[in-house]
Amino acid sequence: MERNQADKASNQGTAPSMTFSGPDRKAITSPSEQKVLSSLSDLLKSRDGVCLLKPSRPLERNGILYSAMNWMAADRGTDINIQVFLVSSRGSSRGARSHTMPLAQAKATVQAFFRGNPPDINGWTPVHFTFPMNDHPANGLRTYEFQIIDAHGERKRLPHFGPDDVQIAGEYLEEGKYQMAEFTLHNGHPGLRVSANRWVAGFVTVIAAKKEGNEIRYLSRSCPATQGTNWLMAFYRGNFQPEGPLWGDVTQRILSERR
């Protein structure tokens, strides 16, 4: 049996559930295969936005773990650009790989991923991200997703989102309708987390990542909920950094979190 057939056989019947998000940023749990595949042709027509497919647990091929796949229309012609995101066995990021291919090949690649069979990324181009992202949010290309926890404790993830989503999340935190709003990095740790303060009404606790050289530290402080909203919007735009003596270091606590 050839290697790719063996990989395929090992995953049959064990593929995890999938969450799909299209250019409208609405997450669909357990989407149909037809819904996912039709998005590729739709993207070529609109030439705008990005789609994301995320399994409930990473997929494995040849010892490599794949945490998500996204795709978008290539700059020219009818090609599709596909990206896959890789993680270690502990869930930390191992970067991403990208490859542009004809529509038919892209559909076959997405279909295989949907069925639990990630692609062979030999020859794919490494994707290098910066931190934080400063590109325009409207292009949908991010190293993080946005998630909230509502007043009932239900967690909702938004892989694709816009400024209205962020602004509303901040306002709902102020009103007590949300418990938390967070920009989550691909390593599973927060880029910026704003949580309702359990002891002081109208205040929130903020945890922010700060890049220092090749290391990322996590800093925390308490502030009024309105300030938390302002910082959520600033992070979304790529121009927020935690500065000043009121921020305390919580790096070890965040790195020990199980995501």
Side-chain angles (χ1 to χ4, degrees), residues 129-167:
F129 297 114
T130 58
F131 179 90
M133 291 292 283
N134 290 310
D135 59 333
H136 195 283
N139 66 18
L141 299 176
R142 295 185 173 279
T143 60
Y144 45 78
E145 66 181 9
F146 192 58
Q147 60 176 308
I148 60 94
I149 297 179
D150 65 20
H152 303 291
E154 182 179 355
R155 183 184 297 269
K156 299 178 181 178
R157 301 177 185 273
L158 291 76
H160 310 295
F161 50 92
D164 290 345
D165 299 304
V166 178
Q167 182 67 39

Side-chain angles (χ1 to χ4, degrees), residues 53-107:
L53 192 60
K54 188 170 185 179
S56 57
R57 66 175 186 273
L59 305 177
E60 182 176 0
R61 175 169 181 157
N62 298 334
I64 299 173
L65 295 177
Y66 299 68
S67 63
M69 171 183 283
N70 70 21
W71 55 91
M72 67 207 77
D75 292 338
R76 298 177 182 177
T78 59
D79 286 351
I80 296 288
N81 178 260
I82 290 181
Q83 286 186 161
V84 290
F85 298 91
L86 313 177
V87 293
S88 71
S89 59
R90 295 184 177 181
S92 59
S93 174
R94 291 184 58 190
R97 300 292 186 274
S98 173
H99 193 58
T100 298
M101 60 190 74
L103 176 60
Q105 182 183 354
K107 283 187 174 182

Side-chain angles (χ1 to χ4, degrees), residues 33-45:
E33 185 174 293
Q34 181 181 1
K35 172 70 174 179
V36 172
L37 295 180
S38 64
S39 70
L40 286 94
S41 299
D42 293 342
L43 279 179
L44 287 178
K45 294 176 182 177

